[in-house]
PDB file of all heavy atoms in Angstrom:
ATOM      1  N   PRO O 374     -22.727 214.229 140.273  1.00 92.00           N
ATOM      2  CA  PRO O 374     -23.987 213.746 139.873  1.00 92.00           C
ATOM      3  C   PRO O 374     -23.957 212.318 139.300  1.00 92.00           C
ATOM      4  O   PRO O 374     -22.954 211.987 138.549  1.00 92.00           O
ATOM      5  CB  PRO O 374     -24.549 214.726 138.849  1.00 92.00           C
ATOM      6  CG  PRO O 374     -23.644 215.905 139.087  1.00 92.00           C
ATOM      7  CD  PRO O 374     -22.413 215.438 139.548  1.00 92.00           C
ATOM      8  N   LEU O 375     -24.954 211.510 139.598  1.00 94.00           N
ATOM      9  CA  LEU O 375     -24.908 210.136 139.008  1.00 94.00           C
ATOM     10  C   LEU O 375     -26.179 209.954 138.068  1.00 94.00           C
ATOM     11  O   LEU O 375     -27.262 210.644 138.254  1.00 94.00           O
ATOM     12  CB  LEU O 375     -25.080 209.088 140.175  1.00 94.00           C
ATOM     13  CG  LEU O 375     -23.992 209.062 141.257  1.00 94.00           C
ATOM     14  CD1 LEU O 375     -24.342 208.061 142.340  1.00 94.00           C
ATOM     15  CD2 LEU O 375     -22.710 208.681 140.523  1.00 94.00           C
ATOM     16  N   ARG O 376     -25.973 209.177 137.067  1.00 94.00           N
ATOM     17  CA  ARG O 376     -27.070 208.881 136.053  1.00 94.00           C
ATOM     18  C   ARG O 376     -27.627 207.503 136.371  1.00 94.00           C
ATOM     19  O   ARG O 376     -27.041 206.659 136.938  1.00 94.00           O
ATOM     20  CB  ARG O 376     -26.507 208.948 134.621  1.00 94.00           C
ATOM     21  CG  ARG O 376     -26.064 210.375 134.302  1.00 94.00           C
ATOM     22  CD  ARG O 376     -25.380 210.341 132.911  1.00 94.00           C
ATOM     23  NE  ARG O 376     -24.135 209.524 132.931  1.00 94.00           N
ATOM     24  CZ  ARG O 376     -23.352 209.368 131.845  1.00 94.00           C
ATOM     25  NH1 ARG O 376     -23.671 209.983 130.767  1.00 94.00           N
ATOM     26  NH2 ARG O 376     -22.303 208.583 131.913  1.00 94.00           N
ATOM     27  N   ASP O 377     -28.848 207.357 135.914  1.00 95.00           N
ATOM     28  CA  ASP O 377     -29.607 206.104 136.267  1.00 95.00           C
ATOM     29  C   ASP O 377     -28.841 204.822 135.789  1.00 95.00           C
ATOM     30  O   ASP O 377     -28.848 203.807 136.417  1.00 95.00           O
ATOM     31  CB  ASP O 377     -30.964 206.059 135.641  1.00 95.00           C
ATOM     32  CG  ASP O 377     -31.914 206.959 136.384  1.00 95.00           C
ATOM     33  OD1 ASP O 377     -31.516 207.505 137.514  1.00 95.00           O
ATOM     34  OD2 ASP O 377     -33.086 207.176 135.960  1.00 95.00           O
ATOM     35  N   GLY O 378     -28.077 205.058 134.567  1.00 95.00           N
ATOM     36  CA  GLY O 378     -27.450 203.903 134.037  1.00 95.00           C
ATOM     37  C   GLY O 378     -26.167 203.553 134.667  1.00 95.00           C
ATOM     38  O   GLY O 378     -25.499 202.477 134.323  1.00 95.00           O
ATOM     39  N   ASP O 379     -25.608 204.407 135.426  1.00 94.00           N
ATOM     40  CA  ASP O 379     -24.305 204.180 136.091  1.00 94.00           C
ATOM     41  C   ASP O 379     -24.274 202.981 137.041  1.00 94.00           C
ATOM     42  O   ASP O 379     -25.245 202.720 137.761  1.00 94.00           O
ATOM     43  CB  ASP O 379     -23.762 205.439 136.868  1.00 94.00           C
ATOM     44  CG  ASP O 379     -23.461 206.591 136.024  1.00 94.00           C
ATOM     45  OD1 ASP O 379     -23.158 206.420 134.891  1.00 94.00           O
ATOM     46  OD2 ASP O 379     -23.604 207.799 136.475  1.00 94.00           O
ATOM     47  N   VAL O 380     -23.229 202.194 137.005  1.00 93.00           N
ATOM     48  CA  VAL O 380     -23.109 201.197 137.977  1.00 93.00           C
ATOM     49  C   VAL O 380     -22.522 201.773 139.233  1.00 93.00           C
ATOM     50  O   VAL O 380     -21.472 202.382 139.296  1.00 93.00           O
ATOM     51  CB  VAL O 380     -22.124 200.029 137.442  1.00 93.00           C
ATOM     52  CG1 VAL O 380     -21.805 199.060 138.522  1.00 93.00           C
ATOM     53  CG2 VAL O 380     -22.674 199.427 136.208  1.00 93.00           C
ATOM     54  N   VAL O 381     -23.281 201.702 140.295  1.00 92.00           N
ATOM     55  CA  VAL O 381     -22.969 202.371 141.561  1.00 92.00           C
ATOM     56  C   VAL O 381     -21.577 202.106 142.070  1.00 92.00           C
ATOM     57  O   VAL O 381     -20.796 202.935 142.392  1.00 92.00           O
ATOM     58  CB  VAL O 381     -24.012 202.030 142.611  1.00 92.00           C
ATOM     59  CG1 VAL O 381     -23.592 202.818 143.951  1.00 92.00           C
ATOM     60  CG2 VAL O 381     -25.414 202.552 142.200  1.00 92.00           C
ATOM     61  N   ALA O 382     -21.276 200.777 142.112  1.00 88.00           N
ATOM     62  CA  ALA O 382     -19.965 200.387 142.633  1.00 88.00           C
ATOM     63  C   ALA O 382     -18.799 200.934 141.895  1.00 88.00           C
ATOM     64  O   ALA O 382     -17.774 201.379 142.403  1.00 88.00           O
ATOM     65  CB  ALA O 382     -19.769 198.849 142.646  1.00 88.00           C
ATOM     66  N   ASP O 383     -18.871 201.006 140.514  1.00 87.00           N
ATOM     67  CA  ASP O 383     -17.863 201.600 139.693  1.00 87.00           C
ATOM     68  C   ASP O 383     -17.699 203.052 140.040  1.00 87.00           C
ATOM     69  O   ASP O 383     -16.605 203.553 140.149  1.00 87.00           O
ATOM     70  CB  ASP O 383     -18.210 201.400 138.220  1.00 87.00           C
ATOM     71  CG  ASP O 383     -18.174 199.871 137.821  1.00 87.00           C
ATOM     72  OD1 ASP O 383     -17.497 199.163 138.599  1.00 87.00           O
ATOM     73  OD2 ASP O 383     -18.724 199.588 136.767  1.00 87.00           O
ATOM     74  N   LYS O 384     -18.788 203.814 140.086  1.00 84.00           N
ATOM     75  CA  LYS O 384     -18.755 205.190 140.298  1.00 84.00           C
ATOM     76  C   LYS O 384     -18.240 205.564 141.678  1.00 84.00           C
ATOM     77  O   LYS O 384     -17.344 206.485 141.818  1.00 84.00           O
ATOM     78  CB  LYS O 384     -20.118 205.879 140.033  1.00 84.00           C
ATOM     79  CG  LYS O 384     -20.504 205.852 138.593  1.00 84.00           C
ATOM     80  CD  LYS O 384     -19.640 206.859 137.772  1.00 84.00           C
ATOM     81  CE  LYS O 384     -19.999 206.877 136.319  1.00 84.00           C
ATOM     82  NZ  LYS O 384     -19.147 207.846 135.566  1.00 84.00           N
ATOM     83  N   ILE O 385     -18.839 204.934 142.648  1.00 80.00           N
ATOM     84  CA  ILE O 385     -18.398 205.306 144.036  1.00 80.00           C
ATOM     85  C   ILE O 385     -16.945 204.871 144.260  1.00 80.00           C
ATOM     86  O   ILE O 385     -16.147 205.605 144.842  1.00 80.00           O
ATOM     87  CB  ILE O 385     -19.354 204.653 145.056  1.00 80.00           C
ATOM     88  CG1 ILE O 385     -20.787 205.135 144.879  1.00 80.00           C
ATOM     89  CG2 ILE O 385     -18.869 204.835 146.517  1.00 80.00           C
ATOM     90  CD1 ILE O 385     -20.949 206.545 145.373  1.00 80.00           C
ATOM     91  N   HIS O 386     -16.598 203.671 143.948  1.00 66.00           N
ATOM     92  CA  HIS O 386     -15.287 203.192 144.205  1.00 66.00           C
ATOM     93  C   HIS O 386     -14.214 203.951 143.384  1.00 66.00           C
ATOM     94  O   HIS O 386     -13.062 204.186 143.825  1.00 66.00           O
ATOM     95  CB  HIS O 386     -15.129 201.714 143.868  1.00 66.00           C
ATOM     96  CG  HIS O 386     -15.943 200.892 144.842  1.00 66.00           C
ATOM     97  ND1 HIS O 386     -16.215 199.505 144.660  1.00 66.00           N
ATOM     98  CD2 HIS O 386     -16.574 201.211 145.964  1.00 66.00           C
ATOM     99  CE1 HIS O 386     -16.974 199.054 145.730  1.00 66.00           C
ATOM    100  NE2 HIS O 386     -17.211 200.062 146.509  1.00 66.00           N
ATOM    101  N   ALA O 387     -14.609 204.368 142.201  1.00 53.00           N
ATOM    102  CA  ALA O 387     -13.611 205.112 141.319  1.00 53.00           C
ATOM    103  C   ALA O 387     -13.271 206.443 141.957  1.00 53.00           C
ATOM    104  O   ALA O 387     -12.145 206.929 141.837  1.00 53.00           O
ATOM    105  CB  ALA O 387     -14.207 205.388 139.951  1.00 53.00           C
TER     106      ALA O 387
END
Side-chain angles (χ1 to χ4, degrees):
L375 298 176
R376 295 174 297 182
D377 286 353
D379 291 335
V380 175
V381 177
D383 292 344
K384 288 294 182 178
I385 297 290
H386 292 171

